[in-house]
Amino acid sequence: MELPPHAQGRRSQLSQDVASYVRELIISGRARRDDYLRIDTIAKAMGISSTPVREGLLMLQLEGFVKLVPRHGFRVVGVEPQDVLDIFWAQGVLAGELAARAAMRASEDEISELEALIEAHSRAVAAGDEPSYTRLGHQFHRAVNLAARSNRLANLLGNMTKQLPNQFYGKIEGQIEGSLEYHPRILEAIRGRDAEAARAQMVEHIVSGGDALVQYLEDQGLWAEDRESDAGA
């Protein structure tokens, strides 16, 4: 039976929700390398049917987080420090190009919006309001991407950013400090119509965020158990 469009849309969103949920389990270390993920267990935890769970896990297989093993199920491949750095490098390349285009195309109103977002973000950080400064940090990047007027490139970047859970960004001290340092620099480059400076600052900002996340995950002991197992093998 062919599903009506709205039902199909809901199932697609559920699959993406599953991918986000399991991706977070893997990045946080709650699902370890070589663990097997049970579809019925995930479905029960999320209160959904098994079909979107399987579809979500297949999405994660394409991203390299899990592998479908015949007659066994989905096995966690895990994520290594270099994997995280590679994801941020790729994001940086795309975000840098968007920032360069924003420097050439942003309107004065868009530049004023970026300035307002930076000021609001700084106030939220000073107040220790994590939900607000996390949201405002994302809004700054989204505003830069919109100012670039390159929808397809922005969509590619959006797909890349989905590979790492948003919840980590507000918990990484280096990422917060990096935003306070780099966002004003990026704005000044855009305001000055300096495309190459905007690109360089954005790439450096994103890549430094990857370094901060790897350090955070190291401190959380994400890879300690795997290294002990490798050493004892």
Side-chain angles (χ1 to χ4, degrees), residues 17-171:
D17 291 344
V18 170
S20 296
Y21 174 76
V22 177
R23 196 185 293 114
E24 182 177 324
L25 292 177
I26 295 171
I27 297 291
S28 66
R30 284 178 285 173
R32 311 291 301 197
R33 187 178 69 181
D34 293 331
D35 285 349
Y36 278 91
L37 301 169
R38 294 181 57 85
I39 290 177
D40 55 348
T41 301
I42 296 171
K44 182 178 180 180
M46 298 188 68
I48 59 177
S49 68
S50 60
T51 298
V53 173
R54 181 176 178 82
E55 291 173 348
L57 291 173
L58 287 171
M59 291 168 60
L60 290 182
Q61 179 172 240
L62 292 175
E63 295 177 11
F65 285 100
V66 302
K67 181 178 179 61
L68 178 58
V69 180
R71 297 184 298 279
H72 288 83
F74 289 90
R75 177 174 57 81
V76 175
V77 174
V79 60
E80 296 297 325
Q82 190 61 53
D83 296 328
V84 176
L85 296 176
D86 288 346
I87 290 171
F88 275 85
W89 174 82
Q91 289 180 12
V93 171
L94 292 171
E97 177 60 27
L98 286 164
R101 296 185 187 187
M104 295 183 288
R105 300 172 182 174
S107 67
E108 291 303 318
D109 286 344
E110 287 170 327
I111 291 173
S112 295
E113 179 188 3
L114 290 171
E115 185 173 15
L117 286 169
I118 288 174
E119 292 173 354
H121 179 265
S122 296
R123 290 195 297 270
V125 171
D129 186 350
E130 181 182 317
S132 291
Y133 65 65
T134 300
R135 173 177 52 81
L136 289 162
H138 285 301
Q139 286 181 349
F140 174 84
H141 285 274
R142 182 174 185 274
V144 171
N145 296 342
L146 289 173
R149 291 166 179 63
S150 302
N151 292 338
R152 191 170 297 278
L153 199 60
N155 288 335
L156 287 172
L157 177 58
N159 290 331
M160 285 295 303
T161 60
K162 291 176 184 176
Q163 293 199 25
L164 292 172
N166 288 336
Q167 66 140 340
F168 290 109
Y169 289 91
K171 302 181 185 301

Side-chain angles (χ1 to χ4, degrees), residues 172-183:
I172 305 168
E173 184 177 355
Q175 182 75 1
I176 301 164
E177 294 173 352
S179 295
L180 292 172
E181 177 183 356
Y182 283 103
H183 288 187

